[in-house]
Amino acid sequence: MALAGSARAGGRRRARLRSTAMAIARFLVVVALTYLGLLAVTFFIGRVIPVDPVLAIVGDRAPSHVVERVREELGLNLPLYQQFFIYVGKALTGDFGTSVLTSNPVMTDIRRVFPATLELATLGTLIGAVLGVPLGVLAAVRRGSFLDQVVRVIGLVGYSVPIFWLGLMALLVFYARLGWVEGPGRIDVVYEYTVTPVTGILLLDTAMQGQWEAFRNVFGHLILPASLLGYFSMAYISRMTRSFMLTELGQEYVVAARAKGLSEGKIIWRHALRNALVPLVTVIALSYATLLEGSVLTETVFSWPGLGLYITDSLQNADMNAVLGGTIVVGSVFIGLNLLSDLLYRVLDPRTRAR
Amino acid sequence: MTNDAQTWRAWLTSERPASRRQARLGRAYAAWSRFADNRLAMAGLFIILALLLVAAFADVIAPYSAVTDGDLRTARLLAPSAEHWFGTDDQGRDIFARLVHGSRITLFVVILVAVIAAPVGLLIGTVAGYAGGWVDAVLMRITDIFLAFPRLVLALAFVAALGPGIVNAVIAIAITSWPPYARIARAETLTLRHADYISAVRLMGASPARIVARHIMPLCVSSVIVRVTLDMAGIILTAAGLGFLGLGAQPPSPEWGAMIASGRRFVLDQWWVAAAPGVAIFIVSLGFNLLGDGLRDALDPKAAGQ
Amino acid sequence: MSMTRMPIRMPMTAVKNLVARGLTRRDLARGLMGATAAVLLATASPVLAATPKDTLVLAWAIDDIITLDPAESFEISAGEIMGNAYDRLVRFDVADPSKLYGDVAESWTVSDDGKTYTFKLRPDLKFASGNPLTAEDVAFSLQRAVKLDLSPAFILTQFGLSKDNVEEKVKKIDDLTVVIETDKAYAPTFVLNCLTANVAAIVDKKLVLEHEKDGDLGNAWLKTNYAGSGPMKIRDWRANEILALERNDNYYGEKAKLPRVIYRHVKESATQRLLLEKGDVDIARNLSPEDLAAVEKNADVAITNRPKGTIYYISLNQKNPTLAKPEVREAMKWLVDYDAIGETLIKGIGTVHQTFLPMGLLGAIDEKPYKLDVAKAKELLEKAGLKDGFSVTMDVRQTQPVAGIAEAVQRTFAQAGIKLEIIPGDGKQTLTKYRARNHDIYIGQWGADYWDPHTNADTFARNPDNSDDAASKPLAWRNAWDIPELTKKADAAVLERDPAKRVEMYTELQRDLLKTSPFVIIYQMVETAGVRKNVEDFVLGSTSDSTYVFRVSKN
């Protein structure tokens, strides 16, 4: 009897292992296909844009034989699909080509600009989540009250005001007039060459090297644009929190919990919020991903040398190596965060499990 | 009179509708009265109606031409005054007139994007959610690819490829806007497709296409609509962002986003040039948002709370 | 059939980890207060607003720099850097550009037949690397520029140098003597002015060849590195972010006054203005007319400016049959409100100018026969059979002031019945279309490549081959303007060795173009900078490479 049972159990275990292996394999294929799709679309865009990439390299004055020569050197006269395969082949070895605008390998450029955006986006999302979640909860709990309206209006302003206007105003007030924060740029000229960039995330670098004055300076530069992005993030997160909390607070278990005599605080923060956090985490992840793609407008106003400006400048000059490199980075972030949120959603909400 | 009204109301609110049409109208009426009770939602509706009116009667309302009037030498960057309610811009044109005419373009942009992006997203999302398996995988991969793209890059690329102009900008924005709707629709479909009554309809022999089209989609429509109205502000601002980068509405078109983009040079001293269209965008977004919230509360009473 | 919603119970460790156990409102409030305190403390240290006393900090849009190799570099910002970091045979006096003086060359002679230039170098010169600077390096640098044959090479190859003959024509005679042979007897000022350009910069042969790869003469390495001998050396370049210069103590002449000069990339005029007013930069270079006016009122800031060799123009593609009519060409010139534009859109950053030679170049005249005259334009259009006007497009970069001028012009054109459709695009897009001759009307700028009138005559008044696959594509070609007679005149003017006669020839050329060209020239650029009062001796040069920051000091 026991033998037959264990054989069956062994069989079940093997089957589960096989299905997990298959799931992982499927997952990898999917990721690979998504990347390929990203590359293909970007590549296509690059060839469809009516800008001559050679212009960015040689400039407007170059005689036509120089232009032709450079075009030949860049391989731009080859048929499209051939260029694509060459590119993918090189990309698989980690060589994403050289940017025509900076004369650096694209990966070097991205290793320089991405940490700047990462720093900004992380701090911004943190501010947004730390402020947005409690505000959203309060708005949901006091639904219809004055506090609710105020939170909603603050959020709405965050949606509908152009970020560069708000950024310039913030600079004018907090930097120029009040002097509470540092100005545009990531770090003051004085400290520029005293910090060795290890991770590229200046807060970490200055802290690791014990340069506390520089750390304070970097924070002073970071706080205003991060707050700006945090504000927009908070607007979105508080609204979503409110929405999810309202759904939760309308559930029967809340009524049941109240009937059982649980305190209101425990109900709201321990039970309803925890349930609402399930979809909320995916919302926060998405908000983070959006900030990570780099806001061109914020970066322009604050002279922040980040990924958004890098990709946009490269696109406008048809510097497709740089655009492709940047797109892959952004794409990876999105894919990663999307998959994470998909996973969380399936794990935490049993209703969505298909099988 | 009141007798008629009362019998209408009784008919609409009857708990035992005699025909499907009566049931549908009754539900619509119930939703409408919930909506009408919500004061903020009515404010939103009012704003949108005002926008429609302004756009329709722009020629009558605007005191000057949005394009031709204005002297470069004498009327440039004037502060708000009795002659120019919102001042003049850097070409000497009256800002109020440009705002009023620009409302048409705003409406155009917003409606076109909604009309393109929402149905596409809805279709893809519901089909993916219901079909499951590799159809779901492929569609979601396509969605992911579009989502994974830096949004402005994609829009920029499309506009650059299609050529400048507001219509192409709209198409570009729409192409980058549908993925979130697809995700929402799919998420809803996933939770709905195991519901009992869907199974019942399936047992009755309905084809998958029919189930998706007539049963699942209508249930997802409301959340997609709500999301679309909440996105309106973002859409208008994306158009402004494109204008910022030089690829939006063609000058001298009084598109609000382009007005902000070109007004940003004067933000420090002649703040009204960017502030006026900014406030306009804000009010319109506010209206859409309130409308969207109200719609959501009205269409899904469970989400509205106790 | 209602759907019962199951409450989700909580052994979800994932979610548990996300919310601290028993997070109450009090905890939240305490957390927020702590965070705020930390932030306030962090920013409580007084904002060190001033720039360091030993460093000059400039805010400038330097995103156009794509290479630091002088044989390749052609952008405006890079030009200034090269001008400060690299020496050349001769330079011109910033105060009077017609006066040339020897930089690396101590003296020079021109042979009687006008085709041989002999330069005697200063002795004991050194590069920043410590290597000695001799005729070997001079000859190498010029040969290298010609052999690499990149964008600025034409400045040297236009007097007969090519890959095949350059080693013959540019020779080192001994350690302190270099000889250059030209193919024709050009005006000596022309040749010498070309040698002041950045492409003729002297690079450290030993250092450059150490980093040579695949016969590229060190180009790949020099794109992001430095091998010069100028008063400043390039310490660091982070594209679109910062460029740092440091004093070169091996420089032969007067040493730079400040040990460090830093260029910060700041794109927005408003941002530059805020930085300048706060003292976080010493000099702001891209202020718009409005920001200039505001900054002028600031007691700590002064404005300095200099007319540059750059002119802004509107050009009419002669491939468009309507625009090819001479009456239309002239009518368009009467439909621009030069004065209004001059008083508003370009105030402080440009002056109205209508001829193709910017003021300051030899032979430039300042005649302004055109003003806004709608009646006259209408008359001309009627003569051309276009009484009801016509439709046409203009490709416009969405940068100021060009975009603003385009809109103003759109309205004045409309007064004569011309319907102008503006096609916006970014810089490279419009340029691509322009070079392919696919435009109707183009609005843009042209800057002098070197300080001699031929630089503009070569592009506005010369079109040796108007076919679609011509080897050279000057502006006249881009607008399909077929001008064999004017080309001959321009060719003669560059060969004229008598300066007075040269002036006459260029005056005539300018008047010819004023009458018949498809170029509606609007203004000459004035470069303007906001400078904090404690900065001394900052003088803008007339070309991109003659703004010498090594002469600046702070008190």
Side-chain angles (χ1 to χ4, degrees):
Chain A
M1 238 354 82
L3 227 60
S6 70
R8 246 206 320 268
R12 266 206 305 274
R13 220 176 302 133
R14 257 194 312 252
R16 217 175 306 157
L17 236 89
R18 206 178 18 238
S19 75
T20 327
M22 287 214 46
I24 293 180
R26 217 179 1 228
F27 166 75
L28 285 174
V29 167
V30 154
V31 166
L33 278 176
T34 314
Y35 270 115
L36 208 62
L38 257 183
L39 285 176
V41 174
T42 313
F43 206 81
F44 178 70
I45 287 175
R47 295 303 173 258
V48 141
I49 288 187
V51 177
D52 187 354
V54 179
L55 265 185
I57 309 174
V58 301
D60 192 24
R61 309 307 177 83
S64 46
H65 70 272
V66 174
V67 173
E68 275 318 306
R69 207 186 61 222
V70 175
R71 186 166 296 142
E72 194 63 47
E73 282 169 20
L74 288 180
L76 291 172
N77 287 331
L78 295 169
L80 213 61
Y81 62 88
Q82 216 176 333
Q83 294 183 46
F84 182 63
F85 280 120
I86 294 178
Y87 182 81
V88 172
K90 286 223 243 131
L92 286 175
T93 62
D95 174 16
F96 287 97
T98 312
S99 159
V100 306
L101 290 180
T102 67
S103 303
N104 287 327
V106 169
M107 270 306 132
T108 314
D109 280 343
I110 292 191
R111 224 175 286 139
R112 208 191 61 221
V113 297
F114 187 62
T117 302
L118 186 66
E119 207 176 16
L120 202 52
T122 309
L123 193 56
T125 309
L126 232 95
I127 295 179
V130 161
L131 288 179
V133 171
L135 277 177
V137 169
L138 287 173
V141 165
R142 305 261 180 86
R143 181 163 174 267
S145 75
F146 181 64
L147 179 65
D148 183 22
Q149 321 285 35
V150 165
V151 169
R152 287 171 68 188
V153 169
I154 291 181
L156 277 170
V157 171
Y159 272 4
S160 352
V161 169
I163 194 167
F164 51 77
W165 183 84
L166 202 59
L168 273 171
M169 286 295 107
L171 264 181
L172 180 65
V173 170
F174 294 106
Y175 162 65
R177 300 279 180 264
L178 292 173
W180 285 2
V181 297
E182 303 287 348
R186 290 183 79 193
I187 190 172
D188 268 359
V189 158
V190 190
Y191 303 109
E192 183 71 61
Y193 293 107
T194 62
V195 181
T196 336
V198 173
T199 62
I201 301 176
L202 287 180
L203 276 182
L204 285 180
D205 285 341
T206 47
M208 288 191 312
Q209 291 165 34
Q211 310 222 4
W212 296 107
E213 255 190 50
F215 178 86
R216 271 211 301 270
N217 187 260
V218 169
F219 189 78
H221 280 278
L222 193 54
I223 189 66
L224 195 58
S227 302
L228 205 66
L229 291 176
Y231 176 51
F232 290 104
S233 192
M234 177 204 85
Y236 182 56
I237 293 177
S238 72
R239 163 185 223 62
M240 288 289 125
T241 310
R242 177 182 179 276
S243 174
F244 294 140
M245 278 301 285
L246 283 177
T247 315
E248 291 308 313
L249 290 174
Q251 296 302 311
E252 293 159 353
Y253 73 87
V254 171
V255 178
R258 278 206 193 104
K260 283 212 293 209
L262 275 157
S263 79
E264 198 64 22
K266 273 225 183 85
I267 296 179
I268 295 172
W269 298 96
R270 254 210 185 176
H271 297 288
L273 179 58
R274 281 174 161 182
N275 285 348
L277 268 170
V278 174
L280 198 55
V281 160
T282 68
V283 161
I284 295 180
L286 256 161
S287 173
Y288 188 37
T290 315
L291 288 188
L292 274 174
E293 89 180 21
S295 165
V296 187
L297 307 175
T298 316
E299 289 173 11
T300 307
V301 168
F302 287 92
S303 277
W304 201 265
L307 196 59
L309 263 182
Y310 183 70
I311 296 182
T312 312
D313 274 343
S314 308
L315 188 65
Q316 287 183 308
N317 285 288
D319 181 3
M320 291 323 285
N321 279 342
V323 176
L324 279 164
T327 306
I328 289 174
V329 169
V330 172
S332 308
V333 164
F334 259 110
I335 291 175
L337 283 169
N338 269 349
L339 282 166
L340 185 67
S341 61
D342 252 353
L343 225 77
L344 276 174
Y345 215 85
R346 275 173 200 264
V347 161
L348 299 173
D349 188 350
R351 286 170 301 171
T352 60
R353 292 201 198 128
R355 332 239 173 250
Chain B
M1 252 335 114
T2 44
N3 235 349
D4 275 338
Q6 270 176 342
T7 43
W8 268 116
R9 274 192 73 222
W11 186 78
L12 284 169
T13 57
S14 151
E15 293 233 323
R16 244 174 285 173
S19 73
R20 263 232 282 273
R21 201 172 116 250
Q22 183 180 8
R24 239 179 286 153
L25 285 175
R27 276 204 303 276
Y29 179 72
W32 164 252
S33 37
R34 277 198 297 270
F35 185 87
D37 278 340
N38 184 343
R39 255 187 313 196
L40 281 180
M42 289 303 281
L45 184 64
F46 173 70
I47 293 178
I48 304 306
L49 285 176
L51 176 70
L52 287 167
L53 279 174
V54 165
F57 294 107
D59 293 320
V60 173
I61 301 177
Y64 302 86
S65 156
V67 172
T68 53
D69 289 338
D71 188 9
L72 183 61
R73 195 181 320 208
T74 56
R76 193 165 173 257
L77 294 174
L78 296 174
S81 65
E83 286 108 30
H84 299 282
W85 292 354
F86 290 164
T88 58
D89 68 1
D90 67 309
Q91 296 278 333
R93 298 175 292 216
D94 180 53
I95 292 182
F96 178 65
R98 282 174 69 78
L99 269 188
V100 162
H101 280 277
S103 63
R104 290 191 175 166
I105 305 178
T106 304
L107 260 183
F108 175 70
V109 168
V110 141
I111 291 178
L112 208 60
V113 171
V115 156
I116 297 178
V120 168
L122 188 63
L123 185 66
I124 293 185
T126 49
V127 165
Y130 189 76
W134 64 268
V135 172
D136 181 19
V138 165
L139 285 176
M140 277 304 107
R141 277 320 43 84
I142 295 180
T143 313
D144 271 347
I145 290 179
F146 273 90
L147 258 180
F149 249 98
R151 177 147 164 181
L152 208 55
V153 167
L154 209 49
L156 253 180
F158 275 109
V159 174
L162 295 169
I166 193 69
V167 174
N168 291 339
V170 161
I171 296 177
I173 298 176
I175 293 178
T176 57
S177 300
W178 63 264
Y181 309 143
R183 288 202 138 240
I184 292 177
R186 176 174 174 271
E188 290 248 359
T189 311
L190 283 180
T191 52
L192 279 175
R193 70 183 195 169
H194 292 300
D196 295 342
Y197 66 90
I198 298 290
S199 313
V201 173
R202 202 181 341 192
L203 279 172
M204 286 202 289
S207 73
R210 188 188 173 84
I211 296 178
V212 166
R214 299 205 62 194
H215 297 279
I216 297 200
M217 264 205 209
L219 292 170
C220 301
V221 161
S222 58
S223 36
V224 170
I225 286 184
V226 167
R227 178 63 195 263
V228 167
T229 53
L230 296 178
D231 279 347
M232 294 301 189
I235 291 171
I236 300 176
L237 288 173
T238 308
L242 284 180
F244 186 100
L245 297 164
L247 295 164
Q250 277 171 280
S253 162
E255 195 254 314
W256 291 353
M259 287 170 71
I260 298 183
S262 69
R264 79 182 193 279
R265 303 173 267 148
F266 313 111
V267 128
L268 294 177
D269 289 314
Q270 292 93 8
W271 48 271
W272 54 90
V273 183
V279 168
I281 290 182
F282 170 60
I283 292 182
V284 167
S285 325
L286 187 68
F288 274 113
N289 272 300
L290 294 174
L291 188 67
D293 273 351
L295 276 177
R296 195 213 36 229
D297 288 350
L299 292 173
D300 186 7
K302 277 187 278 195
Q306 299 102 329
Chain C
M1 286 160 248
S2 59
M3 286 193 301
T4 48
R5 286 184 171 211
M6 299 295 295
I8 299 179
R9 291 278 179 238
M10 282 304 110
M12 311 285 171
T13 43
V15 182
K16 249 198 189 154
N17 289 336
L18 288 167
V19 178
R21 204 179 291 269
L23 189 68
T24 62
R25 247 179 294 184
R26 224 177 312 136
D27 292 331
L28 214 57
R30 253 184 274 149
L32 268 175
M33 281 201 297
T36 325
V39 167
L40 283 178
L41 269 170
T43 55
S45 61
V47 174
L48 263 178
T51 56
K53 268 198 116 27
D54 63 351
T55 309
L56 181 70
V57 183
L58 302 102
W60 204 22
I62 55 169
D63 51 347
D64 58 342
I65 302 182
I66 58 173
T67 176
L68 297 179
D69 184 342
E72 182 178 19
S73 151
F74 215 66
E75 282 56 42
I76 296 176
S77 318
E80 177 165 318
I81 307 299
M82 302 288 127
N84 283 287
Y86 282 90
D87 290 328
R88 58 237 39 222
L89 280 169
V90 285
R91 284 200 205 242
F92 59 79
D93 187 347
V94 178
D96 179 5
S98 66
K99 287 221 252 309
L100 292 162
Y101 64 92
D103 191 6
V104 154
E106 205 170 39
S107 64
W108 63 89
T109 53
V110 184
S111 68
D112 289 327
D113 67 354
K115 293 206 273 190
T116 310
Y117 294 73
T118 313
F119 294 90
K120 277 245 168 326
L121 304 181
R122 292 178 203 272
D124 302 323
L125 294 175
K126 278 222 267 285
F127 284 103
S129 60
N131 295 335
L133 197 166
T134 63
E136 177 99 30
D137 303 286
V138 175
F140 170 73
S141 308
L142 294 174
Q143 290 164 358
R144 174 177 185 270
V146 171
K147 284 194 208 159
L148 283 176
D149 199 17
L150 294 165
S151 328
F154 74 92
I155 298 179
L156 296 176
T157 57
Q158 67 184 330
F159 30 86
L161 303 174
S162 75
K163 268 190 258 228
D164 309 312
N165 67 15
V166 72
E167 295 210 1
E168 284 303 306
K169 301 283 189 156
V170 176
K171 268 211 297 259
K172 144 190 172 178
I173 303 293
D174 58 50
D175 272 349
L176 291 177
T177 315
V178 177
V179 162
I180 301 178
E181 279 172 35
T182 61
D183 61 347
K184 293 203 208 122
Y186 298 102
T189 47
F190 168 62
V191 174
L192 289 170
N193 271 308
C194 289
L195 289 174
T196 68
N198 282 327
V199 68
I202 316 297
V203 301
D204 188 341
K205 173 174 182 178
K206 188 148 160 278
L207 187 57
V208 163
L209 286 179
E210 266 170 35
H211 293 94
E212 177 171 24
K213 221 166 43 153
D214 300 327
D216 71 346
L217 294 175
N219 174 244
W221 177 80
L222 201 53
K223 271 190 217 253
T224 53
N225 286 285
Y226 174 67
S229 60
M232 310 287 303
K233 55 184 174 184
I234 301 177
R235 185 225 166 119
D236 182 27
W237 172 47
R238 288 207 297 271
N240 297 8
E241 205 179 317
I242 194 171
L243 192 146
L245 297 174
E246 237 172 31
R247 177 165 56 208
N248 173 12
D249 290 311
N250 283 342
Y251 182 59
Y252 75 88
E254 192 190 322
K255 304 278 186 290
K257 300 235 182 68
L258 289 169
R260 244 181 317 274
V261 174
I262 294 196
Y263 290 86
R264 283 181 63 172
H265 172 60
V266 180
K267 204 134 170 108
E268 287 280 304
S269 166
T271 312
Q272 285 197 8
R273 170 175 152 193
L274 288 177
L275 283 167
L276 184 69
E277 287 176 345
K278 272 296 255 194
D280 274 337
V281 300
D282 299 308
I283 302 180
R285 307 279 294 265
N286 298 102
L287 297 173
S288 68
E290 292 76 28
D291 285 326
L292 274 174
V295 141
E296 237 173 331
K297 303 200 196 105
N298 188 316
D300 296 319
V301 177
I303 307 279
T304 173
N305 58 33
R306 160 87 66 172
K308 280 215 120 61
T310 304
I311 51 175
Y312 283 76
Y313 66 93
I314 292 177
S315 71
L316 315 171
N317 192 349
Q318 298 300 286
K319 276 195 172 187
N320 179 321
T322 317
L323 297 175
K325 297 191 207 244
E327 296 88 1
V328 172
R329 292 206 295 261
E330 196 188 330
M332 304 290 235
K333 294 178 187 164
W334 294 107
L335 284 173
V336 176
D337 195 349
Y338 304 91
D339 291 328
I341 292 176
E343 285 168 33
T344 56
L345 298 175
I346 59 172
K347 190 167 158 85
I349 59 172
T351 48
V352 175
H353 187 75
Q354 295 182 355
T355 64
F356 73 86
L357 284 184
M359 297 310 290
L361 278 178
L362 178 79
I365 57 174
D366 199 15
E367 280 168 19
K368 294 201 257 275
Y370 296 106
K371 58 180 175 39
L372 181 65
D373 192 338
V374 181
K376 194 161 190 161
K378 276 194 169 145
E379 204 184 296
L380 284 162
L381 286 176
E382 202 173 327
K383 238 202 295 186
L386 292 161
K387 193 163 66 127
D388 301 318
F390 57 92
S391 292
V392 77
T393 66
M394 186 195 285
D395 292 287
V396 183
R397 288 194 325 277
Q398 286 307 291
T399 54
Q400 299 297 335
V402 165
I405 295 178
E407 278 191 73
V409 156
Q410 188 181 41
R411 289 195 297 167
T412 44
F413 277 12
Q415 291 178 30
I418 302 181
K419 258 201 303 290
L420 183 69
E421 184 194 336
I422 292 181
I423 304 182
D426 68 77
K428 293 301 185 298
Q429 253 185 318
T430 53
L431 204 54
T432 304
K433 208 169 154 191
Y434 188 34
R435 291 168 64 98
R437 308 209 274 193
N438 278 336
H439 62 292
D440 275 343
I441 302 183
Y442 180 78
I443 177 168
Q445 63 184 125
W446 184 265
D449 298 320
Y450 46 88
W451 206 245
D452 182 278
H454 188 63
T455 177
N456 274 26
D458 188 23
T459 199
F460 283 100
R462 278 188 84 242
N463 190 0
D465 179 359
N466 198 28
S467 66
D468 279 339
D469 45 327
S472 81
K473 301 189 170 160
L475 291 184
W477 177 88
R478 292 186 202 180
N479 293 287
W481 194 35
D482 200 6
I483 39 166
E485 282 304 314
L486 288 172
T487 306
K488 275 207 223 84
K489 276 195 191 170
D491 284 337
V494 75
L495 291 172
E496 177 53 63
R497 298 173 70 177
D498 177 356
K501 278 224 204 72
R502 254 192 119 195
V503 168
E504 263 175 46
M505 295 167 94
Y506 283 115
T507 308
E508 197 187 318
L509 259 181
Q510 286 171 85
R511 292 205 177 113
D512 284 337
L513 263 83
L514 270 176
K515 269 204 289 283
T516 63
S517 77
F519 297 109
V520 180
I521 297 175
I522 305 181
Y523 76 95
Q524 175 175 0
M525 173 178 167
V526 171
E527 188 179 1
T528 316
V531 183
R532 288 196 67 89
K533 289 248 169 77
N534 65 330
V535 174
E536 285 179 358
D537 296 323
F538 177 71
V539 177
L540 291 165
S542 43
T543 58
S544 65
D545 57 3
S546 50
T547 300
Y548 297 139
V549 290
F550 59 84
R551 297 202 179 135
V552 177
S553 59
K554 283 165 77 162
N555 58 21

